[in-house]
Amino acid sequence: MPLKPIDAADAAPEVRAVFDDIKATRNVPDVNNFWKMVAHHPETLKRTWESLKEVMAPGALDPLVKEMIFVAVSVTNGCAYCIRSHEAAARKAGMTDAQFGELMAVIGMANETNRLANGYQVEIDESLK
Amino acid sequence: MPLKPIDAADAAPEVRAVFDDIKATRNVPDVNNFWKMVAHHPETLKRTWESLKEVMAPGALDPLVKEMIFVAVSVTNGCAYCIRSHEAAARKAGMTDAQFGELMAVIGMANETNRLANGYQVEIDESLK
Amino acid sequence: MPLKPIDAADAAPEVRAVFDDIKATRNVPDVNNFWKMVAHHPETLKRTWESLKEVMAPGALDPLVKEMIFVAVSVTNGCAYCIRSHEAAARKAGMTDAQFGELMAVIGMANETNRLANGYQVEIDESLK
Amino acid sequence: MPLKPIDAADAAPEVRAVFDDIKATRNVPDVNNFWKMVAHHPETLKRTWESLKEVMAPGALDPLVKEMIFVAVSVTNGCAYCIRSHEAAARKAGMTDAQFGELMAVIGMANETNRLANGYQVEIDESLK
Amino acid sequence: MPLKPIDAADAAPEVRAVFDDIKATRNVPDVNNFWKMVAHHPETLKRTWESLKEVMAPGALDPLVKEMIFVAVSVTNGCAYCIRSHEAAARKAGMTDAQFGELMAVIGMANETNRLANGYQVEIDESLK
Amino acid sequence: MPLKPIDAADAAPEVRAVFDDIKATRNVPDVNNFWKMVAHHPETLKRTWESLKEVMAPGALDPLVKEMIFVAVSVTNGCAYCIRSHEAAARKAGMTDAQFGELMAVIGMANETNRLANGYQVEIDESLK
């Protein structure tokens, strides 16, 4: 009963155009299931891809750092698909095992101290205002 | 009725020892309210500080990247104190306005696409297994 | 080792009475696994069903809108079971593919802008107070 | 522009009846702002109070344990009002400073290890299935 | 130390152009603090506004329903600014007190049953696959 | 492509030492997959185990209460692995079916009332300040 992924062969022209741009930009033979599902709403597909392409491009932060930030958000939210796919993207961008290990350690500590700050109801320091 | 921050002057010796180590390690004149509140449970104070010191030390990832990951988690969780204090720490570690802007943009997009992946119930690609 | 669903045939009378009311109210031949699991605590089964029946009944909001709100919460929380079952309920209540697509788009944008508001630490406007 | 709390003096009879039951059950001179706000929707006020009264009553778990679980959820969700009010309720039910300290420590560790489990994408052990 | 809102008078031309479009589209004399803060990163300002304008426009769902979905996500995430500003937007789009009351009731129940589904580890029904 | 669990036989000496301490402390023949995955970063393995051992030890709160708090956090975060493994740990520590049922009921109610407090934007009572 859930929706099924839309393959390029069955896609409307405006969907195929986005798929083609993803494949060309990322130099991959096919797009991930994420895009094949979001393709059920072509406007969301186009807007999401163009936003992501702009946001994840090299800039003041390099692509590996951006992918690790993406992983940090996905792990905090518990999105299994996102963790899997962005861990893969981060490794493709050069993330080593040691970097992955430290990334997980920081994510874990941040989630812990966030709750200590909540639970102790810490007020913002004058020096931080 | 909530607990009050514990100042160094009123602190037990094992608390003061941790405060001293924080001040020396970070080269700051006083510790933040976070530590003065967690000091109500000296074991948690000591364990949390020692864990944080180990995790945030330079390693395979540099301290600025670690602070930005901390901000990404804190923003996703909506912890106002943590956002404020770790934004400050990231800026102290060299984060520019442009980097902050891109950090926010990546966090925003990741939170959006996490929910698109959830909502469309995307299955993990064979190539990612 | 986890608990198993309780089928009507094996259920205590007070559980069966709730199952019967769910089936009659929704005009379905059997109850979902959700209810067969919560049936392990009959008080919670009864209270949850009666609360849900009251809350989801037609009122100032129509049932389709209520089901879409339920989906929005479930997607934000990442509850896979809830997303699946309430997407099904929303479609049964008349949700079209186009409505589902827009629902996902709004959920995605809201999760993105929620984090931009957190990250930029936006203060409430005077005009909104 | 936001809604204002409804005081007993200005409340409709069905609201006042709930307020009276809260005051009698908890032996307090007035109800908290939470109830005065939810009173804007009398059905939700009545249903929420009756559900809470049933769920928080002494049973297989004692009231202090139930209040600490309430705090754990509220800290994890970052609900400032709920943390404040249920910390107060837990202290009224007998929670000591040492118990509060351990409660915070467990909440912190659970939030950390939840993310390590997510991030490392740990599969469920055969022995736990 | 945190960033300050950027007023139109002090804004770069590309920021002012977005502000002008927001004011014209919404027929308001000034933009909210949200936009004045995101204006620190003009690319994010432009992309977020254009995305939001597209997503929130009337379509298969009417604007009031979209604003209520926005509120549901914001309440679930606990974003105080977003709750305040989108409650205001929903009321401007016609939300009555009775609709607000039912909206809150549905959000509450969904958050409760999401956790019951998680906690009882409910498996997806064959009929929902 | 994801990491694989590290078995004791293939583990470095510092990893095996932690595994041995877990097995001895918990009196179990093998460690869970959680530890075999975190073992990819031996520093995180050691720090997390030692922290958890300290935090979960009997103290002002008994081990069963601590495990139930762990479950409450895990259910709220929706971490399936953590729910499964800590439900098992709580049952091993003596949790009855009736206690599990009440635990779920409290977690559910807390998640509901957290959102009602958010949505109604309840201000903290003077008596709670």
Side-chain angles (χ1 to χ4, degrees):
Chain A
M1 202 146 82
L3 297 172
K4 297 267 171 295
I6 295 176
D7 279 315
D10 308 316
E14 76 266 30
V15 165
R16 203 150 45 209
V18 175
F19 284 7
D20 286 345
D21 192 36
I22 296 173
K23 290 190 278 188
T25 305
R26 297 189 163 172
N27 194 23
V28 288
D30 196 6
V31 304
N32 278 355
N33 279 342
F34 176 81
W35 302 110
K36 294 180 184 180
M37 291 299 285
V38 177
H40 284 279
H41 199 246
E43 301 89 327
T44 301
L45 174 71
K46 187 174 187 324
R47 191 186 61 252
T48 305
W49 165 244
E50 288 179 356
S51 294
L52 202 71
K53 188 164 64 163
E54 179 182 319
V55 167
M56 300 302 278
L61 298 176
D62 71 69
L64 171 55
V65 170
K66 290 185 174 184
E67 285 295 349
M68 290 193 296
I69 292 165
F70 224 107
V71 169
V73 170
S74 304
V75 167
T76 299
N77 284 329
C79 176
Y81 183 84
C82 316
I83 296 167
R84 185 86 288 276
S85 58
H86 286 278
E87 184 201 338
R91 289 194 183 275
K92 200 169 161 185
M95 182 175 67
T96 63
D97 282 351
Q99 288 175 321
F100 179 74
E102 294 193 14
L103 173 60
M104 292 299 118
V106 175
I107 295 169
M109 280 307 298
N111 273 288
E112 179 174 26
T113 58
N114 277 201
R115 270 55 180 222
L116 291 175
N118 286 347
Y120 280 101
Q121 304 154 60
V122 185
E123 293 197 14
I124 295 187
D125 303 76
E126 282 308 313
S127 63
L128 291 172
K129 280 180 182 166
Chain B
M1 204 145 82
L3 297 172
K4 297 267 172 294
I6 295 176
D7 280 315
D10 308 316
E14 76 266 30
V15 166
R16 202 150 47 211
V18 175
F19 283 7
D20 286 344
D21 191 37
I22 296 173
K23 290 191 277 188
T25 305
R26 296 188 164 175
N27 193 25
V28 288
D30 196 6
V31 304
N32 279 355
N33 279 342
F34 176 81
W35 302 110
K36 293 181 185 180
M37 291 299 286
V38 177
H40 285 279
H41 199 247
E43 301 89 328
T44 301
L45 175 70
K46 188 175 186 327
R47 192 185 60 252
T48 305
W49 165 245
E50 288 179 355
S51 294
L52 202 70
K53 188 164 64 162
E54 178 182 319
V55 166
M56 300 302 279
L61 299 176
D62 72 70
L64 172 55
V65 170
K66 290 184 174 184
E67 285 294 349
M68 290 194 297
I69 292 164
F70 224 107
V71 170
V73 169
S74 304
V75 167
T76 299
N77 284 329
C79 176
Y81 182 85
C82 315
I83 296 167
R84 184 86 288 276
S85 58
H86 286 279
E87 183 201 338
R91 289 193 183 275
K92 201 171 160 184
M95 182 175 66
T96 64
D97 282 350
Q99 288 175 321
F100 179 74
E102 294 194 12
L103 173 60
M104 291 299 119
V106 175
I107 295 170
M109 280 308 298
N111 273 288
E112 179 174 27
T113 57
N114 276 201
R115 269 54 179 222
L116 292 175
N118 287 347
Y120 279 100
Q121 304 153 58
V122 185
E123 293 196 16
I124 295 187
D125 303 76
E126 282 308 313
S127 63
L128 290 172
K129 280 180 183 166
Chain C
M1 202 143 83
L3 296 172
K4 296 267 172 294
I6 296 177
D7 281 315
D10 308 316
E14 76 266 29
V15 165
R16 204 152 43 210
V18 175
F19 284 6
D20 286 345
D21 191 38
I22 296 173
K23 289 190 278 186
T25 304
R26 297 189 162 171
N27 192 23
V28 287
D30 196 7
V31 304
N32 278 354
N33 279 342
F34 176 81
W35 302 110
K36 294 182 184 179
M37 290 300 284
V38 177
H40 284 280
H41 198 247
E43 301 90 327
T44 301
L45 175 70
K46 187 174 185 334
R47 192 186 60 252
T48 305
W49 165 244
E50 289 179 356
S51 294
L52 203 71
K53 188 165 63 163
E54 178 183 319
V55 167
M56 300 303 278
L61 298 176
D62 70 72
L64 171 55
V65 169
K66 289 185 175 183
E67 285 296 348
M68 290 193 297
I69 292 164
F70 224 107
V71 169
V73 170
S74 304
V75 167
T76 300
N77 283 329
C79 175
Y81 183 85
C82 316
I83 296 168
R84 185 84 288 278
S85 57
H86 286 278
E87 184 202 337
R91 289 193 182 274
K92 201 172 161 184
M95 183 176 67
T96 63
D97 282 351
Q99 288 175 322
F100 179 75
E102 293 193 14
L103 173 61
M104 292 299 118
V106 176
I107 295 168
M109 280 308 297
N111 273 289
E112 179 174 27
T113 58
N114 276 201
R115 270 53 181 224
L116 291 175
N118 286 347
Y120 279 101
Q121 304 153 59
V122 186
E123 293 197 16
I124 294 186
D125 303 77
E126 281 308 313
S127 63
L128 291 172
K129 279 181 183 166
Chain D
M1 204 146 82
L3 297 172
K4 296 267 172 294
I6 295 176
D7 281 315
D10 308 317
E14 76 266 30
V15 166
R16 204 151 44 209
V18 175
F19 283 6
D20 286 344
D21 191 37
I22 296 173
K23 289 191 279 188
T25 305
R26 296 190 163 171
N27 193 23
V28 288
D30 197 6
V31 304
N32 278 355
N33 279 342
F34 176 81
W35 302 110
K36 294 181 184 181
M37 291 300 285
V38 177
H40 284 280
H41 199 246
E43 302 90 326
T44 301
L45 175 70
K46 187 174 186 329
R47 192 186 60 252
T48 305
W49 165 245
E50 289 179 356
S51 294
L52 203 70
K53 189 165 62 163
E54 179 182 319
V55 166
M56 299 303 278
L61 298 176
D62 70 72
L64 173 54
V65 170
K66 289 184 175 183
E67 284 295 350
M68 290 193 297
I69 292 164
F70 224 106
V71 169
V73 170
S74 304
V75 167
T76 300
N77 284 330
C79 176
Y81 183 85
C82 315
I83 296 168
R84 185 84 289 277
S85 58
H86 286 278
E87 184 201 337
R91 290 195 182 274
K92 201 172 161 183
M95 182 175 67
T96 64
D97 282 351
Q99 287 175 322
F100 180 74
E102 293 193 13
L103 173 60
M104 292 299 119
V106 176
I107 295 168
M109 280 307 298
N111 273 288
E112 179 174 27
T113 57
N114 277 201
R115 270 53 180 223
L116 292 174
N118 286 347
Y120 279 100
Q121 304 153 60
V122 185
E123 293 197 15
I124 295 186
D125 303 76
E126 282 308 314
S127 62
L128 291 172
K129 280 181 183 166
Chain E
M1 202 146 82
L3 296 172
K4 296 266 173 295
I6 296 177
D7 280 315
D10 308 317
E14 76 266 29
V15 165
R16 202 149 47 209
V18 175
F19 284 7
D20 287 344
D21 191 36
I22 296 173
K23 290 191 277 187
T25 304
R26 297 189 162 173
N27 193 23
V28 288
D30 196 6
V31 304
N32 278 355
N33 279 342
F34 176 82
W35 302 110
K36 293 181 184 179
M37 290 299 286
V38 177
H40 284 280
H41 198 246
E43 301 89 327
T44 301
L45 175 70
K46 188 174 186 328
R47 192 186 60 251
T48 305
W49 165 244
E50 289 179 354
S51 294
L52 202 71
K53 188 165 64 163
E54 179 182 319
V55 166
M56 300 303 278
L61 299 176
D62 71 71
L64 172 55
V65 169
K66 289 185 174 182
E67 284 296 349
M68 291 194 297
I69 292 165
F70 223 107
V71 170
V73 169
S74 303
V75 167
T76 299
N77 283 330
C79 175
Y81 183 85
C82 315
I83 296 168
R84 185 85 287 277
S85 58
H86 286 278
E87 183 201 337
R91 290 195 181 273
K92 201 172 161 184
M95 182 175 66
T96 64
D97 282 350
Q99 288 175 322
F100 179 74
E102 294 194 13
L103 172 60
M104 291 300 119
V106 176
I107 295 169
M109 279 309 297
N111 274 288
E112 179 175 26
T113 58
N114 278 201
R115 270 52 179 223
L116 292 175
N118 286 348
Y120 280 100
Q121 303 154 59
V122 186
E123 292 198 16
I124 295 186
D125 303 76
E126 282 307 314
S127 63
L128 291 172
K129 278 179 184 167
Chain F
M1 202 145 82
L3 296 172
K4 295 266 173 297
I6 296 176
D7 281 315
D10 308 316
E14 76 267 28
V15 166
R16 204 151 44 210
V18 175
F19 284 7
D20 286 344
D21 191 36
I22 297 173
K23 290 190 278 187
T25 304
R26 298 190 162 171
N27 193 23
V28 288
D30 197 6
V31 303
N32 278 354
N33 279 341
F34 176 81
W35 302 110
K36 294 182 184 179
M37 291 299 286
V38 177
H40 284 280
H41 199 248
E43 301 88 328
T44 301
L45 174 70
K46 187 174 186 331
R47 191 185 61 253
T48 305
W49 165 244
E50 289 179 355
S51 295
L52 202 71
K53 188 165 63 164
E54 180 182 318
V55 166
M56 299 304 278
L61 298 176
D62 70 70
L64 172 55
V65 169
K66 290 185 174 183
E67 284 294 348
M68 290 193 297
I69 292 165
F70 224 107
V71 170
V73 169
S74 304
V75 167
T76 299
N77 284 329
C79 175
Y81 183 85
C82 315
I83 296 168
R84 185 85 287 278
S85 57
H86 286 278
E87 184 201 338
R91 290 193 182 275
K92 202 171 160 183
M95 182 175 67
T96 64
D97 282 351
Q99 288 175 321
F100 179 75
E102 294 193 14
L103 173 60
M104 292 300 119
V106 176
I107 295 169
M109 279 309 296
N111 273 289
E112 179 175 27
T113 58
N114 277 200
R115 270 54 181 224
L116 291 175
N118 286 348
Y120 280 100
Q121 303 154 61
V122 186
E123 292 197 16
I124 295 186
D125 303 76
E126 282 308 314
S127 63
L128 291 172
K129 278 180 183 166

